[in-house]
């Protein structure tokens, strides 16, 4: 009997995609770096990124863990976090599917630092059906402005004999401490947001993506 196909979002890390062991060191003029740093370890802003094996589909999906490089690619290119196709976009903006925190502040999620990539319309219904977090309450939002703002990552500080991982932080690209971060996720700031009724999107599985 053929094994049942596992549906896992594009950004989900698989069990064969563990973090690549790397020694973080102080690098003059750059902040932190890898002892064996190479091309591709930093983004175009000079920020160091966590290394991870790239073996999508090997082993089992670890739904609570996001692959840093695929998250970065999806956020940078505005790809659907589920299927990696273009996120849905029209004159009202790009679609994001988020946990519902509208009570957090007036106009939520306007001004939010978001690490979750957008989605395409056909994947809205799939996400609502398969994601336990979204089943606890979800909202679809059209976002007209979503500038890349910074990164989430681990801040490193000087220890007794070496650098030590201090804390997880969100930092804008213009903050000095970003030079001491190993990034794990790209952040976009969501602005000019409009909530879209979920049935309006979830019932459109067969509708082609807008370009």
């Amino acid at each position: 009997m053929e094994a049942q196909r596992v549906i896992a979002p594009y950004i989900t890390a698989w069990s064969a995609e563990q973090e690549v062991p790397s020694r973080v060191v102080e690098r003059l003029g750059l902040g932190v770096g890898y002892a064996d740093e190479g091309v591709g370890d930093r983004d175009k802003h000079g920020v160091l990124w966590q290394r991870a094996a790239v073996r999508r589909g090997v082993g089992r999906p670890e739904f609570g863990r996001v692959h840093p490089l695929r998250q970065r690619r999806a956020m940078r290119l505005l790809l659907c976090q589920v299927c990696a196709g273009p996120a849905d976009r029209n004159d009202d903006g790009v679609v994001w599917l988020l946990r519902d925190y509208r009570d957090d502040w007036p106009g939520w999620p306007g001004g939010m630092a978001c690490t979750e990539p957008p989605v395409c319309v056909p994947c809205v219904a799939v996400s609502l059906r398969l994601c336990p977090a979204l089943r606890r309450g979800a909202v679809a939002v059209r976002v007209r402005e979503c500038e890349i703002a910074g990164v989430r990552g681990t801040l490193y500080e000087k220890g007794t004999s070496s650098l030590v991982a201090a804390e997880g932080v969100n930092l804008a690209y213009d903050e000095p401490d970003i030079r001491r971060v190993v990034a794990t996720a790209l952040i976009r700031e969501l602005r000019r947001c409009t909530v879209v009724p979920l049935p309006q999107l979830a019932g459109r599985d067969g509708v082609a993506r807008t370009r």
Side-chain angles (χ1 to χ4, degrees):
M1 180 181 296
E2 184 180 350
Q4 185 177 1
R5 177 172 169 266
V6 176
I7 298 176
Y10 170 71
I11 64 170
T12 296
W14 290 68
S15 57
E17 297 183 309
Q18 299 301 316
E19 181 180 351
V20 176
S22 304
R23 186 163 65 93
V24 179
V25 298
E26 191 86 27
R27 295 185 69 86
L28 184 64
L30 293 174
V32 298
Y34 293 128
D36 59 344
E37 191 171 321
V39 177
D41 284 326
R42 295 180 184 272
D43 63 22
K44 68 178 184 179
H45 298 278
V47 174
L48 192 68
W49 276 76
Q50 182 187 88
R51 290 170 168 174
V54 181
R55 303 186 68 191
R56 184 182 175 214
V58 179
R60 65 185 185 283
E62 298 184 345
F63 292 103
R65 193 164 62 90
V66 172
H67 193 277
L69 302 185
R70 287 199 293 274
Q71 185 275 353
R72 174 180 160 192
R73 178 174 183 267
M75 285 292 265
R76 183 172 58 86
L77 300 177
L78 290 177
L79 303 180
C80 174
Q81 64 170 287
V82 179
C83 70
D88 194 84
R89 182 199 299 261
N90 64 19
D91 291 342
D92 293 323
V94 179
V95 173
W96 256 266
L97 188 62
L98 306 169
R99 283 288 308 277
D100 190 349
Y101 291 117
R102 279 177 283 187
D103 292 337
D104 279 10
W105 67 81
W108 179 95
M112 183 173 79
C114 184
T115 60
E116 299 170 12
V119 295
C120 67
V121 166
C123 286
V124 169
V126 175
S127 300
L128 293 173
R129 186 173 72 251
L130 297 180
C131 178
L134 293 177
R135 286 202 298 268
R136 292 195 291 270
V139 62
V141 182
R142 290 268 183 195
V143 181
R144 291 190 179 187
E145 296 179 3
C146 52
E147 293 297 318
I148 292 174
V151 299
R152 174 179 293 174
T154 302
L155 183 68
Y156 278 77
E157 295 180 349
K158 290 184 178 180
T160 306
S161 58
S162 63
L163 293 176
V164 295
E167 59 180 331
V169 292
N170 290 352
L171 289 176
Y173 274 117
D174 59 0
E175 294 186 63
D177 278 349
I178 202 166
R179 298 170 63 189
R180 307 191 65 80
V181 164
V182 177
T184 57
L186 193 63
I187 292 173
R188 283 185 180 267
E189 185 176 1
L190 308 186
R191 293 197 174 276
R192 299 182 65 195
C193 306
T194 304
V195 173
V196 181
L198 276 173
Q200 183 177 321
L201 296 177
R204 292 177 51 206
D205 289 21
V207 178
R209 300 182 184 93
T210 55
R211 292 296 198 270

